[in-house]
Amino acid sequence: MEISPVLFPILFLAGAVAGCIDAIAGGGGLITIPVLLGLGLPPQAALGTNKLQASFGSCSAMTHFVKAGTVNLRDALPGVIWTAVGAILGSYTVQQIDPGFLKRCIPFLLLAILCYTIFTPRLGAEEVHPRLPRRLFYGVAGLGLGFYDGFLGPGTGSFWVIAIMLGLGFDMRKGTGYTKLFNFVSNIVSLVVFVAGGHVLFGAGLLMGAGQAVGARMGARLVIHKGTRFVRPVFICSVLAVTAKLFWDSYR
């Protein structure tokens, strides 16, 4: 599929805005997937191309968090492995079956996260004692959320942030940094599976990916310098937007 040069600035800008939002609180797919579908891509190709462009943003944000000392790669290695396994299984499965049932369930889970976050104002304000052993947490969350990100995707960042804060006791700033690492892993692994299935439009994905890298770096800087007080309201707004969009798509 050929892309008109007139669309180049739009694709780049969409990627940049989505990358910034994603780095702060997740939900960038609300921008990029409609743009890709608007190009006329079938749903599986839109998902595959979205993984390509999202990989740039999550890589850029992850790198910035690692350099800033927010993320310890050695500590997160078990989570990386389990997330990769889950993403492979999810990306393969979504190309074999209709994800409609899961798509209808996810908005209710996101709504529960939104309510819990709003009515627990101290959640993520500071680090607390972990509720689960790290290896157990990484196995359960990595496999489950890696599968979901490869299978469907919307709201994955929100699920990761809330899971990390509750399971590992991290504050929201640190939880966001670790989320970007696991997002990158599931994005890149899913991308390989989608490429193998022939469901990636490289031209659009690379253009949006360049914008993603720029926007994600800006978003990561805001998270690191502004902290939890800044991230929390953006996180709530992002979850609200994703939830509303999924309810609209599933039940209209």
Side-chain angles (χ1 to χ4, degrees):
M1 179 177 176
E2 296 294 330
I3 303 173
S4 170
V6 176
L7 297 175
F8 290 178
I10 297 174
L11 291 170
F12 182 88
L13 182 61
V17 173
C20 186
I21 293 172
D22 241 357
I24 298 170
L30 284 177
I31 298 170
T32 55
I33 292 179
V35 168
L36 292 167
L37 290 172
L39 289 175
L41 273 68
Q44 288 182 331
L47 288 172
T49 304
N50 187 60
K51 289 300 180 187
L52 172 58
Q53 64 88 28
S55 296
F56 284 82
S58 54
C59 180
S60 178
M62 174 200 68
T63 301
H64 201 73
F65 281 117
V66 170
K67 287 182 178 178
T70 306
V71 176
N72 184 322
L73 292 176
R74 179 175 294 181
D75 168 73
L77 182 59
V80 168
I81 295 171
W82 282 112
T83 300
V85 173
I88 291 171
L89 295 174
S91 299
Y92 175 78
T93 303
V94 77
Q95 296 180 64
Q96 312 302 317
I97 66 172
D98 178 12
F101 175 75
L102 184 59
K103 187 176 181 180
R104 289 190 292 272
C105 295
I106 292 303
F108 292 98
L109 296 178
L110 284 170
L111 186 61
I113 284 179
L114 180 66
C115 293
Y116 186 81
T117 305
I118 291 173
F119 292 108
T120 315
R122 294 299 299 168
L123 179 67
E126 57 189 23
E127 291 198 47
V128 297
H129 187 73
R131 291 178 173 85
L132 291 174
R134 293 203 176 189
R135 289 187 179 276
L136 174 61
F137 171 81
Y138 283 139
V140 174
L143 190 61
L145 293 177
F147 180 91
Y148 172 67
D149 196 20
F151 188 81
L152 196 59
T156 304
S158 305
F159 288 129
W160 263 121
V161 171
I162 202 80
I164 289 170
M165 289 191 300
L166 291 175
L168 298 182
F170 291 174
D171 62 27
M172 190 168 279
R173 182 180 68 90
K174 189 173 180 180
T176 301
Y178 274 70
T179 291
K180 290 302 108 183
L181 169 62
F182 299 134
N183 275 160
F184 171 68
V185 172
S186 56
N187 279 335
I188 202 72
V189 170
S190 297
L191 173 61
V192 172
V193 179
F194 277 110
V195 169
H199 297 299
V200 177
L201 183 65
F202 285 94
L206 291 173
L207 277 169
M208 297 178 81
Q212 273 269 357
V214 174
R217 190 167 184 83
M218 293 172 57
R221 285 179 178 174
L222 287 171
V223 172
I224 290 168
H225 294 300
K226 298 291 186 178
T228 299
R229 289 185 179 179
F230 171 74
V231 177
R232 179 181 169 83
V234 179
F235 176 80
I236 290 173
C237 290
S238 176
V239 175
L240 180 61
V242 174
T243 304
K245 178 67 164 57
L246 289 177
F247 268 118
W248 173 258
D249 289 345
S250 300
Y251 295 97
R252 61 181 175 180

